[in-house]
Amino acid sequence: MPSPGRYLTALLATILPLVLSAQEPGIRQIRVGNLKVTALLDGQVPLGKELLKGLEPEEAEAMLGGPEPTATSVNAFLVDTGKHRILVDAGGTSSWGLGHLAERLQKAGIKPESIETVLITHLHGDHFGGLLTPEGKRAFPRAQLRLSQIEHDYWTAPATEASLPEARRPIIKALKAMIAVYQSEGAYHPFAPGEAPCPGVQAIPTPGHTPGHTSYAFGQGKHAFWAIGDLVHFGRIQFAKPEVTVSFDTDSPKAAATRQALWERAAREKVLIGGSHLAFPGLGQIKKAGQGFIWTALKGKARR
Ligand SMILES: [Zn+2]
């Protein structure tokens, strides 16, 4: 039996990260059944209404509450299952005003080497940029990196690079550099459709924003948590109007259909949702409301 002193130290070691993170900006930890979910804010980017497709500018402005671009969160989610630590998405780099994930993890008491799996929802820079350190090394030195094979094939195809405007091509170079680093250390493993990316996690194909965009489902029933990546960029618009898309979706009709279907399912199953670009911490539930849906952000210290 441990001495009272050692017992107290052990107890504090368990509690302290939770207490600290509650006080730290950009870190939010909650329990969902047996899962511990930590939302981590990588930074914010301004998104303007001119990116919206399928909505009149006046209506967009009214729904957004003004003409200014929306300061949009870039969130990553760390899920601790009790057996594994899994990170969903890795944020971007400082060149975009992002790249705060590493310091947030540190403040939350989570060592990058303790993360065993990194799941990527899709290969946009604000999701894979944080996979390498500024020195070009693996930011998660012991993690296996997993993402959809469809997504890998699309972004590494010469035709995709050729189809991009000149200004967006450097991102492909950055992507290939990242893949090369993880591949050279045997840590890069795209998964086939229907394959579980790691034990206890289901991949839900959610194509449209990009061809292999994938959401990840943890837990079950009322203790389920789904990280849904970029199914929504404008929370004030795309729950009420899932048909509204953004100009950087690769396939607008598919993105809209995928969103509608996922909103239906998430509302029916009452799952906890984590959205990459919903206002930090990006956690909440989707409910049906008339023809559309509403987002109910997780409040206070709510636990489920
Ligand atoms: Zn994104």
Side-chain angles (χ1 to χ4, degrees), residues 122 126-127 230 233 277:
H122 65 298
D126 55 326
H127 299 259
D230 282 17
H233 293 84
H277 300 306

Side-chain angles (χ1 to χ4, degrees), residues 24-86:
E24 286 290 345
I27 301 167
R28 177 76 183 272
Q29 280 184 330
I30 59 156
R31 281 206 176 271
V32 189
N34 293 327
L35 306 171
K36 189 162 79 183
V37 177
T38 307
L40 301 139
L41 180 65
D42 188 55
Q44 288 189 322
V45 288
L47 293 186
K49 65 177 186 305
E50 66 281 358
L51 295 169
L52 291 160
K53 285 172 72 178
L55 190 65
E56 292 301 323
E58 300 75 35
E59 195 176 357
E61 206 170 300
M63 292 181 85
L64 293 172
E68 300 80 22
T70 308
T72 305
S73 300
V74 176
N75 306 315
F77 299 97
L78 191 279
V79 183
D80 193 330
T81 66
K83 289 188 187 136
H84 293 104
R85 275 183 171 169
I86 302 157

Side-chain angles (χ1 to χ4, degrees), residues 12 14-24 29 303:
L12 280 175
T14 313
I15 293 171
L16 215 55
L18 286 168
V19 174
L20 282 178
S21 62
Q23 297 163 351
E24 286 290 345
Q29 280 184 330
R303 287 177 181 235

Side-chain angles (χ1 to χ4, degrees), residues 122-123 147-156 210-213:
H122 65 298
L123 288 173
L147 69 148
S148 143
Q149 182 74 51
I150 295 167
E151 189 71 358
H152 168 88
D153 291 349
Y154 176 76
W155 288 104
T156 53
T210 61
H213 186 283

Side-chain angles (χ1 to χ4, degrees), residues 6-216:
R6 279 178 61 190
Y7 177 75
L8 194 64
T9 310
L11 189 68
L12 280 175
T14 313
I15 293 171
L16 215 55
L18 286 168
V19 174
L20 282 178
S21 62
Q23 297 163 351
E24 286 290 345
I27 301 167
R28 177 76 183 272
Q29 280 184 330
I30 59 156
R31 281 206 176 271
V32 189
N34 293 327
L35 306 171
K36 189 162 79 183
V37 177
T38 307
L40 301 139
L41 180 65
D42 188 55
Q44 288 189 322
V45 288
L47 293 186
K49 65 177 186 305
E50 66 281 358
L51 295 169
L52 291 160
K53 285 172 72 178
L55 190 65
E56 292 301 323
E58 300 75 35
E59 195 176 357
E61 206 170 300
M63 292 181 85
L64 293 172
E68 300 80 22
T70 308
T72 305
S73 300
V74 176
N75 306 315
F77 299 97
L78 191 279
V79 183
D80 193 330
T81 66
K83 289 188 187 136
H84 293 104
R85 275 183 171 169
I86 302 157
L87 179 68
V88 183
D89 287 335
T93 61
S94 56
S95 58
W96 296 7
L98 300 172
H100 296 283
L101 179 63
E103 72 193 57
R104 302 278 195 237
L105 284 168
Q106 192 193 12
K107 287 195 171 145
I110 299 161
K111 291 193 164 68
E113 57 271 28
S114 73
I115 295 170
E116 288 137 321
T117 306
V118 180
L119 303 175
I120 297 292
T121 58
H122 65 298
L123 288 173
H124 277 164
D126 55 326
H127 299 259
F128 77 77
L131 287 169
L132 294 183
T133 65
E135 297 76 35
K137 299 214 160 60
R138 286 167 67 185
F140 305 98
R142 294 179 56 199
Q144 297 297 309
L145 180 54
R146 307 223 68 191
L147 69 148
S148 143
Q149 182 74 51
I150 295 167
E151 189 71 358
H152 168 88
D153 291 349
Y154 176 76
W155 288 104
T156 53
T160 302
E161 186 169 359
S163 72
L164 289 178
E166 197 68 38
R168 285 188 62 196
R169 289 187 196 167
I171 199 71
I172 300 282
K173 207 175 152 204
L175 171 65
K176 287 182 176 167
M178 179 282 288
I179 292 174
V181 171
Y182 278 77
Q183 235 165 14
S184 72
E185 297 182 33
Y188 187 78
H189 305 287
F191 55 80
E195 188 186 334
C198 62
V201 183
Q202 263 192 312
I204 307 174
T206 42
H209 178 56
T210 61
H213 186 283
T214 303
S215 300
Y216 296 102

